[in-house]
Amino acid sequence: MPDLHALLPSVLELARAAGREIMAVYARDFRVDEKADSSPLTDADLRSQKLILAGLARLTPDIPIVAEEAAALPFEERSRWPQLWLVDPLDGTREFVSRNPEFTVNIALVQDHRPVLGVVHVPAQTLDYYAARGDGAFRQAAARAPEPIHAAPKSANPVRVVGSKSHRGDSLDGLLARLGPHELKPVGSSLKLCLVAEGAADFYPRLGPTMEWDIAAAQAVLECAGGYVTDLDGQPLRYNTRESLLNPHFIAYADASRNWLQYVPRS
């Protein structure tokens, strides 16, 4: 098993380097292609992924990688992996295309189906969230010193809810009606989890599709900051447990004294 404390700075620098590749594309006109699932793909996604995959292969040549813009191996093979990297080279491509700065680079190390190290880099804001099990969670803006972050142990009144900018449906509206007084802040990409991690939000319900590489890095940050990410049975979100890399619906929160699952509409 790698030394997480020693590994984290190198992964952070790798995410920042990928962010520079992304911003080089962001600064000019670029082509937008459409993937099979109708989601957008740009040269920034591909340049970032190429850099990250090469960097991780140098850092940890024995740890396999699953990344968004690469074909995943069958679960029959993946199921034998005790650890793996999960990489989203550009989370929030829709935000990137619309020139909204809320897009991220996500890199997570998963061991025994749980994220133990995570880096969420926000290139357009020169901002990082990162964590490793046993080291706590941190936020670092531009050239400033890193600041430890902690999720809010008691939810605010009204509850501060973060939700997706690009995906919203009747399920979320039903949940918010059950929740009662709240402030909803639409946020792009994995930043929603990071806002809960730094105590700027209380609750993030996700009742729509996400992939494992979308969430793992920010889950590591939130859990190391004292928060929780669970499925709708109340179990911590786990990774690489089945053929599909699609996550179940989940909720993220910090105040464990409150039963957040009671607000989730049941079909």
Side-chain angles (χ1 to χ4, degrees):
M1 296 290 182
D3 180 335
L4 301 181
H5 178 78
L7 186 58
L8 183 56
S10 297
V11 179
L12 179 58
E13 286 306 316
L14 190 57
R16 289 170 175 168
R20 290 191 288 273
E21 291 289 310
I22 290 170
M23 293 309 293
V25 177
Y26 192 70
R28 58 173 170 77
D29 291 335
F30 52 85
R31 171 178 166 179
V32 182
D33 295 317
E34 188 174 279
K35 296 191 287 189
D37 64 358
S38 299
S39 62
L41 176 69
T42 71
D43 189 39
D45 298 78
L46 301 176
R47 286 173 61 170
S48 174
Q49 176 154 299
K50 182 179 179 181
L51 186 149
I52 293 169
L53 297 192
L56 291 178
R58 288 193 300 270
L59 280 174
T60 56
D62 297 328
I63 300 180
I65 306 168
V66 172
E68 178 172 14
E69 310 305 340
L73 293 170
F75 183 62
E76 181 181 357
E77 181 170 347
R78 286 190 286 113
S79 65
R80 297 192 289 267
W81 298 348
Q83 53 190 347
L84 72 152
W85 291 103
L86 280 171
V87 174
D88 191 339
L90 177 49
D91 181 27
T93 303
R94 285 186 174 86
E95 278 72 30
F96 177 84
V97 169
S98 64
R99 307 290 181 173
N100 177 332
E102 295 173 349
F103 52 87
T104 62
V105 176
N106 302 336
I107 306 176
L109 179 62
V110 172
Q111 291 179 351
D112 298 323
H113 310 293
R114 298 292 303 278
V116 295
L117 178 151
V119 171
V120 178
H121 173 59
V122 195
Q125 301 180 41
T126 322
L127 176 64
D128 300 292
Y129 296 90
Y130 54 91
R133 182 178 288 174
D135 276 3
F138 297 85
R139 180 186 193 273
Q140 186 168 10
R144 298 178 185 173
E147 301 174 79
I149 56 174
H150 306 280
K154 193 70 178 173
S155 56
N157 187 15
V159 176
R160 301 165 300 169
V161 183
V162 282
S164 175
K165 261 197 163 80
S166 305
H167 307 278
R168 177 164 177 169
D170 294 341
S171 296
L172 177 59
D173 290 336
L175 182 150
L176 295 176
R178 290 168 178 247
L179 180 62
H182 64 273
E183 296 173 350
L184 177 63
K185 181 177 182 179
V187 181
S189 70
S190 59
L191 279 171
K192 294 179 283 293
L193 289 154
C194 295
L195 290 180
V196 180
E198 68 177 343
D202 302 303
F203 187 37
Y204 168 34
R206 182 63 187 222
L207 306 178
T210 58
M211 303 301 291
E212 293 195 359
W213 46 72
D214 292 325
I215 301 301
Q219 180 176 349
V221 173
L222 177 51
E223 290 182 340
C224 288
Y228 307 87
V229 183
T230 75
D231 62 23
L232 300 190
D233 292 321
Q235 298 302 307
L237 213 60
R238 301 173 76 241
Y239 297 88
N240 195 35
T241 62
R242 53 202 174 99
E243 186 70 48
S244 174
L245 292 165
L246 190 69
N247 291 319
H249 294 175
F250 65 85
I251 61 172
Y253 59 93
D255 183 351
S257 70
R258 190 161 182 169
N259 177 15
W260 299 99
L261 287 170
Q262 69 180 307
Y263 306 115
V264 179
R266 302 292 177 171
S267 56

